[in-house]
Amino acid sequence: MQRSESATIGLRNGQPASPEGAPEMKVEREITIEATPGEVWEALSEPALLRDWLFEDGDERELEVDEAEEEQRLAFRWHREGQGETSVVFTLEAVPTGTRVLVVERGLRVPVTWGPALNALASVSSMALA
Amino acid sequence: MRQAAADEVFTALADPTRRALLEALSRGAPETSSRLAAELPITRQAVEKHLAVLGRAGLVERTREGREARYEMTPAPLADAASWIAAVGGEWDDTLARLQRAVERRR
């Protein structure tokens, strides 16, 4: 199993993107699963299977599906507590060892200012906690 | 992160002048408001108002040294924000691990 991670903060046109004035953030994670994209897609596209892994016990949320491209891409919006609506995109890619699954969640709002010194500070503490 | 604290950090960072002040303070040594005002196109009084907002969010600490107050950055709330980012990422790590198990169970 391989994992990589990153968290980035983007300011649109140099301005905070959200109404609260905080920078909008996206989180990206990935995993490589020893299975074909078709097998992984099954777990993403069959609601009964999806429910089993996407939600922690008792934390079922409604999904507004925007795009479902077979064996390639699933995009939806959902609500995160204290955050409002965020968007999630799963992308599947066949790799020699199986299928690389990339997930990107956008629209998260975090209070962080983004100068070089603070950037360094934030990456140090994310690494410590990740 | 406590919600009240998070809101105050949000408010404090919403303003570009306050972000510039923090950036100046993050370079290290405590600064006086007049020195900070010299770097920005605003008055010392305006700088002090912004520093007070940053102070309420716990991002800046004020100490008195002789006649003039000095301001220092206290980045703990930002570390909280960074740990919040890490927590969301950690949730996705768990979710992807559950996906992996779900796929492998069906093979």
Side-chain angles (χ1 to χ4, degrees):
Chain A
M1 180 172 80
Q2 285 178 354
R3 274 181 186 172
S4 79
E5 60 199 20
S6 70
T8 54
I9 294 208
L11 291 179
R12 283 186 194 145
N13 309 317
Q15 292 301 310
S18 68
E20 292 86 351
E24 206 167 275
M25 201 206 61
K26 78 176 178 180
V27 166
E28 282 184 41
R29 286 295 203 268
E30 66 170 76
I31 195 169
T32 298
I33 299 176
E34 286 176 36
T36 65
E39 288 167 326
V40 177
W41 181 253
E42 242 179 35
L44 262 78
S45 57
E46 286 181 23
L49 293 178
L50 181 79
R51 219 173 286 136
D52 258 1
W53 62 266
L54 184 60
F55 305 109
E56 291 256 51
D57 300 329
D59 178 38
E60 203 158 308
R61 284 179 264 172
E62 252 178 66
L63 307 183
E64 184 94 31
V65 176
D66 291 318
E67 206 189 325
E69 202 176 324
E70 211 175 321
E71 299 189 15
Q72 285 183 34
R73 194 176 139 90
L74 176 70
F76 61 80
R77 282 164 292 141
W78 65 1
H79 279 266
R80 215 174 234 288
E81 211 184 320
Q83 286 278 311
E85 193 175 72
T86 66
S87 77
V88 177
V89 178
F90 281 91
T91 310
L92 309 188
E93 189 198 342
V95 292
T97 49
T99 302
R100 177 176 165 268
V101 181
L102 174 72
V103 62
V104 181
E105 183 167 15
R106 285 190 177 79
L108 297 160
R109 287 175 289 277
V110 194
V112 180
T113 179
W114 230 232
L118 305 177
N119 198 354
L121 167 78
S123 51
V124 165
S125 64
S126 335
M127 279 192 308
L129 282 143
Chain B
M1 186 165 19
R2 278 191 306 116
Q3 195 51 49
D7 287 347
E8 275 169 9
V9 176
F10 267 98
T11 308
L13 298 179
D15 182 271
T17 304
R18 288 196 287 273
R19 290 200 294 270
L21 280 171
L22 264 193
E23 198 43 42
L25 289 172
S26 72
R27 290 198 290 264
E31 289 281 14
T32 61
S33 53
S34 29
R35 271 228 293 275
L36 289 166
E39 287 188 35
L40 295 164
I42 53 171
T43 64
R44 188 175 60 86
Q45 285 77 8
V47 164
E48 282 176 1
K49 272 189 197 163
H50 284 303
L51 287 169
V53 177
L54 290 168
R56 281 198 291 279
L59 291 164
V60 161
E61 212 169 73
R62 183 173 184 269
T63 50
R64 197 162 263 288
E65 220 177 80
R67 285 186 303 117
E68 238 183 329
R70 282 174 187 274
Y71 297 87
E72 196 173 353
M73 185 180 166
T74 46
L78 290 174
D80 283 355
S83 69
W84 187 88
I85 297 171
V88 173
E91 267 179 45
W92 277 117
D93 283 339
D94 294 346
T95 305
L96 290 177
R98 289 198 298 269
L99 167 64
Q100 182 180 42
R101 284 195 298 272
V103 171
E104 284 171 0
R105 266 202 309 270
R106 292 176 57 80
R107 295 204 89 196

